[in-house]
Amino acid sequence: MSQPEPESAPRSVALSMAKGVVRSLPLARVRSGRAALSPDLVLRTGPQAIDQARLAAYQRVCGARVSDVLPPGYLHVLGFPLAMARMTQADFPFPLLGLVHVVNRTSQHRQLTLADRPRLAVHAANLRPHRSGQQVDIITEARLDDALVWTETSTYLCRGRREERRNFPQEPPNSPQDPPNSPQERHGVGIRFQVPADVGRRYAAVSGDRNPIHLSAMSARLFGFRRAIAHGMWLQARLLSCFEGRLPDQFVVECEFRKPVPLPGDVRLIETRPALRPSSRFFELQGSRDGRTLVTGRLEDRSLSAEAPIGQA
Amino acid sequence: MPTREAVVIGGNRIPFARANGRYALASNQDMLTATLDGLVARFGLQGERLGEVVAGAVLKHSQDFNLTRESVLGSALAPTTPAYDIQQACGTSLESVILVANKIAVGQADSGIAAGVDTVSDAPIAVSEGLRTALLAANRARNLPARLKALASIRPSYLAPATPSNSELRTGLSMGEHQAVTTREWAITRQQQDELAAASHQNLAAAYERGFFDDLVTPFLGLTRDNNLRPDSTVERLAELKPVYGRGESEPTMTAGNSTPLTDGAAAVLLGTREWAAERRLPILARFVDAETAAVDYVHGDRKADGLLMAPVYAVPRLLARNGLTLQDFDFYEIHEAFAATVLATLAAWQDPDFSRDRLGLAAPLGGIDRSRLNVTGSSLATGHPFAATGARIVATLAKLLHDKGSGRGLISICAAGGQGVVAIIEAA
């Protein structure tokens, strides 16, 4: 086995960002959506050593316990430089800046710890239309030796030019996991928490995701948002921290980011369970004051089911 | 009232880390949750409802008033496990063991976890008393002028944060300065202290080497052993250190090497009835026998007999008398090494005829102990001493020593801030 690599240098993210900014300029955007996306182009890392200080900073920002356990979203952070690189390859059809994270599905097949040295691989696939434009999946996989331990599908929307000034659609047409119509039982009293004003900058610092829509109202305005909005991956991590002590080793979590969550925010998490499927929990993040649905999601316990891990190669 | 036996099933702790080091970013709740989860994993307690979890921390943020319950909720234990916090300075988690064992003994619980945690690195920092007073006055004010008047009383100097100190509130002396007085009064030498400190490091290192801690310690944040441990510690090297306490004296003896460093960490002990353990096929390491606490008037009392850390000297004879035992009836002695001199002054007091007669009311002194039975796997000088975690560390260690030996009896003695002492007896089960 080769020597573990240190976590990816911020420089590589900065380079991808710079490339992304250039390709996001109006002239460059003409080519949007025309190239043929190559699903075979896979970017990989060697075994990645985990930096404990950075992990602890991530855990703090996301409301997780500082511990040896890698929150599933931390692998997204580890894979982020590759994702950025993939999204700035010549065949990638969209400008990087202004892309909106609409759905994120994470499958953890094994709990990883600080001592593990995961290898990451990223590819892009499933370019397809969305009511507001076009969307594409960035798929990241983590392996320990040859075993697939974690898979994530991040779906990004590139809003079409006509809709550029419009908000998110009420109901994205292809949301893969709408709660089924089976009877739902409300569970728990709801968990209210604050989305801090500076969380975009703080999450950007630990994740390297410095998309301007998250950093400040001024930079977000350039992309049509009146205020900075929370990172989708921060929201997913913060929502998972509400399940501290209740997460099995194997699970799938899926978040659909329905509406931007402006900073600062005051939100609550509502949990329901389908009466017939005890291994599933559905949740919904709402604005505390207006009750608007901001995120819907699902948490599926896979430690109980015999089903093979999703995305098993 | 008929009572049942409370047995020690096992323990778990994270390695202890010197302050502002490996655990600098970890909170008390982080460390306690990890320690509970390690215990749960070791004994297969996932989703189990225990009788209760009792734990505490000495340095605690006000938001952590429900630290133990919050940690239980974040752990793999059933969320229906009750919990509460206690605090008795360095005696905290031995006291929590006593509380859980007593509830088991009287039939109010069948199982429980006793634990403790402390961080010096993530210490609570409060606003100054001046700022706090002004803010509270502003909050009470009924109109704007009164509020402004209250806020106008704030002085720049109030903005300096108030950090916790390890000085005794009533004397203004640090624990080390208190011990320095006791050390001199009992004529404890530098050589004796350095020998005890070197033995602590050597014993702990040997215990790690033979795998003694493999089922007592769970790695945390990249640490697998207590990072205060210096396996190559010798009396000669310790002799090179400069004194740090009692420096106003003619021959100060206490150094950083024979004093305990500030440390972060957490430890937990699982207790239950024999039946509860047997139903789950869990081991039984030792049985909890009895405990006693004592306190001294360290503020106005005698300089020699009422030293801040001398309370265990009074607790042990009472405990022995109640159980019909002599000081020599033990196979292991676990005397918490707040300072090497604390252990030595304690042993000296038990051998002093005048002190024993005048202060303990004994016709003859308790006498000496076989020093080869003292802190045989090291103690706080080597492991470090996260205040509230030390009792649980010692109980789990001693229970395993007794189990490995297959018979015998152990004495635990822990001194605590505020002039208190907590002592206990456990026996092989």
Side-chain angles (χ1 to χ4, degrees):
Chain A
M1 196 160 114
S2 54
Q3 281 293 307
E5 302 171 359
E7 291 187 19
S8 304
R11 201 171 61 95
S12 68
V13 177
L15 277 176
S16 297
M17 272 275 185
K19 209 167 142 190
V21 169
V22 171
R23 296 191 55 231
S24 303
L25 296 173
L27 278 177
R29 296 184 75 164
V30 174
R31 23 172 268 112
S32 290
R34 278 202 244 149
L37 183 75
S38 166
D40 300 328
L41 177 55
V42 182
L43 304 182
R44 301 172 195 279
T45 69
Q48 298 263 298
I50 309 298
D51 178 339
Q52 193 261 314
R54 187 184 180 198
L55 172 63
Y58 173 91
Q59 288 163 329
R60 272 275 170 272
V61 171
C62 299
R65 293 257 75 78
V66 171
S67 78
D68 286 30
V69 174
L70 263 54
Y74 194 69
L75 288 151
H76 175 95
V77 168
L78 285 185
F80 185 68
L82 287 187
M84 291 291 285
R86 182 64 192 90
M87 291 196 277
T88 48
Q89 299 280 327
D91 69 326
F92 193 73
F94 307 133
L96 182 65
L97 292 189
L99 279 185
V100 182
H101 197 171
V102 287
V103 176
N104 201 82
R105 177 189 171 92
T106 307
S107 304
Q108 176 173 297
H109 313 313
R110 211 199 93 175
Q111 190 177 75
L112 271 74
T113 73
L114 190 55
D116 289 321
R117 298 287 178 266
R119 286 181 297 121
L120 294 150
V122 170
H123 70 279
N126 307 326
L127 178 62
R128 60 197 187 281
H130 183 283
R131 203 175 81 179
S132 301
Q134 294 218 72
Q135 57 188 336
V136 68
D137 292 338
I138 298 293
I139 297 154
T140 309
E141 293 179 341
R143 287 170 195 274
L144 287 180
D145 296 325
D146 288 327
L148 185 67
V149 291
W150 176 94
T151 315
E152 177 188 75
T153 303
S154 298
T155 304
Y156 293 94
L157 165 70
C158 177
R159 288 188 281 178
R161 267 166 289 175
R162 279 187 185 180
E163 284 84 10
E164 263 173 12
R165 288 193 178 79
R166 278 172 47 179
N167 272 336
F168 275 15
Q170 287 293 326
E171 289 166 317
N174 61 342
S175 89
Q177 286 297 335
D178 270 322
N181 292 327
S182 71
Q184 297 275 313
E185 286 179 13
R186 172 91 183 261
H187 266 250
V189 292
I191 298 174
R192 184 176 173 182
F193 62 90
Q194 305 297 316
V195 185
D198 63 350
V199 80
R201 291 185 293 275
R202 287 168 57 208
Y203 184 79
V206 297
S207 69
D209 182 352
R210 293 189 170 79
N211 189 330
I213 62 176
H214 305 305
L215 301 182
S216 67
M218 199 185 289
S219 56
R221 244 174 247 139
L222 297 173
F223 297 90
F225 296 98
R226 272 184 295 171
R227 287 148 69 188
I229 64 169
H231 288 82
M233 289 311 294
W234 179 82
L235 286 169
Q236 179 177 299
R238 182 65 185 79
L239 292 174
L240 277 180
S241 78
C242 295
F243 296 93
E244 186 198 355
R246 306 281 172 275
L247 285 179
D249 285 352
Q250 290 113 35
F251 63 88
V252 179
V253 60
E254 182 167 272
C255 285
E256 186 180 319
F257 307 108
R258 300 267 187 139
K259 284 202 170 62
V261 177
L263 306 178
D266 182 333
V267 296
R268 61 180 179 156
L269 181 71
I270 305 297
E271 192 188 334
T272 55
R273 290 188 204 176
L276 303 176
R277 285 180 68 195
S279 67
S280 278
R281 299 166 188 239
F282 290 93
F283 54 81
E284 183 172 328
L285 189 72
Q286 302 175 341
S288 290
R289 296 201 176 84
D290 55 17
R292 283 202 317 168
T293 300
L294 303 169
V295 180
T296 56
R298 182 176 68 99
L299 184 59
E300 179 91 22
D301 184 347
R302 286 291 162 97
S303 62
L304 304 172
S305 80
E307 190 182 336
I310 293 163
Q312 184 75 61
Chain B
M1 182 163 58
T3 62
R4 310 183 297 174
E5 270 185 353
V7 297
V8 177
I9 293 164
N12 183 56
R13 68 178 176 96
I14 55 175
F16 294 168
R18 289 173 66 96
N20 301 310
R22 288 305 270 272
Y23 301 168
L25 299 174
S27 68
N28 277 331
Q29 195 180 334
D30 294 330
M31 293 191 287
L32 184 55
T33 305
T35 302
L36 292 175
D37 273 341
L39 191 70
V40 165
R42 179 162 295 142
F43 296 106
L45 302 176
Q46 291 84 353
E48 186 102 30
R49 178 174 68 85
L50 301 183
E52 64 188 16
V53 177
V54 184
V58 174
L59 291 174
K60 198 159 93 167
H61 293 254
S62 53
Q63 71 195 20
D64 284 343
F65 64 95
N66 232 350
L67 170 67
T68 310
R69 173 63 181 150
E70 287 296 327
S71 300
V72 167
L73 281 171
S75 77
L77 288 170
T80 47
T81 300
Y84 65 94
D85 278 39
I86 66 158
Q87 194 285 121
Q88 198 177 28
C90 312
T92 298
S93 59
L94 180 55
E95 189 65 76
S96 65
V97 168
I98 296 167
L99 293 166
V100 172
N102 285 352
K103 274 207 182 180
I104 290 170
V106 299
Q108 292 172 352
D110 291 331
S111 65
I113 293 174
V117 56
D118 253 298
T119 169
V120 180
S121 307
D122 189 43
I125 292 180
V127 298
S128 71
E129 190 57 21
L131 182 57
R132 197 178 73 89
T133 306
L135 292 175
L136 288 171
N139 190 43
R140 278 194 304 271
R142 287 165 189 244
N143 52 44
L144 187 63
R147 192 163 296 141
L148 290 175
K149 190 180 169 210
L151 292 174
S153 73
I154 295 172
R155 299 284 168 269
S157 62
Y158 292 1
L159 301 179
T163 50
S165 115
N166 71 340
S167 295
E168 284 296 326
L169 295 176
R170 288 178 182 276
T171 63
L173 294 182
S174 72
M175 204 169 263
E177 291 301 331
H178 269 283
Q179 178 61 48
V181 173
T182 307
T183 304
R184 195 186 51 204
E185 291 290 327
W186 287 96
I188 308 299
T189 67
R190 169 78 184 263
Q191 173 80 15
Q192 288 175 292
Q193 294 174 53
D194 287 348
E195 282 170 5
L196 193 119
S200 186
H201 284 277
Q202 289 159 8
N203 287 345
L204 181 67
Y208 269 114
E209 281 310 308
R210 68 172 195 268
F212 180 81
F213 290 109
D214 287 357
D215 55 1
L216 291 175
V217 175
T218 304
F220 185 61
L221 303 187
L223 264 197
T224 55
R225 291 184 178 189
D226 313 307
N227 69 359
N228 183 58
L229 171 62
R230 290 165 186 260
D232 55 354
S233 190
T234 62
V235 177
E236 292 71 32
R237 292 180 69 164
L238 286 166
E240 293 166 11
L241 298 171
K242 286 199 170 62
V244 291
Y245 298 114
R247 281 186 291 195
E249 299 170 13
S250 55
E251 286 181 41
T253 57
M254 294 172 60
T255 68
N258 58 40
S259 306
T260 307
L262 294 174
T263 324
D264 306 331
V269 177
L270 176 64
L271 297 121
T273 62
R274 285 181 187 274
E275 295 71 27
W276 189 87
E279 281 164 17
R280 286 158 187 78
R281 298 169 187 266
L282 297 176
I284 294 172
L285 301 185
R287 71 185 190 91
F288 180 87
V289 177
D290 198 3
E292 176 74 15
T293 55
V296 293
D297 180 9
Y298 67 97
V299 183
H300 303 291
D302 186 80
R303 280 173 69 80
K304 182 173 184 180
D306 296 304
L308 178 71
L309 304 180
M310 293 292 275
V313 173
Y314 299 85
V316 166
R318 303 204 294 245
L319 181 66
L320 295 177
R322 185 160 68 229
N323 289 273
L325 295 169
T326 72
L327 186 59
Q328 290 70 39
D329 289 337
F330 293 87
D331 301 274
F332 299 103
Y333 302 87
E334 286 287 339
I335 304 180
H336 161 51
E337 298 165 342
F339 303 89
T342 311
V343 180
L344 294 161
T346 299
L347 296 176
W350 287 333
Q351 295 175 77
D352 186 298
D354 295 340
F355 173 83
S356 296
R357 184 189 60 240
D358 298 342
R359 297 302 304 268
L360 302 179
L362 299 174
L366 294 185
I369 65 166
D370 177 351
R371 285 282 294 272
S372 71
R373 300 177 176 186
L374 173 67
N375 299 346
V376 298
T377 54
S379 189
S380 304
L381 286 168
T383 61
H385 169 42
F387 311 119
T390 289
R393 170 185 70 75
I394 291 176
V395 170
T397 300
L398 179 56
K400 186 174 175 196
L401 283 168
L402 290 165
H403 181 68
D404 288 355
K405 182 175 158 52
S407 66
R409 183 182 297 124
L411 178 67
I412 300 169
S413 165
I414 298 179
C415 55
Q420 307 206 82
V422 190
V423 304
I425 298 171
I426 64 175
E427 286 179 357

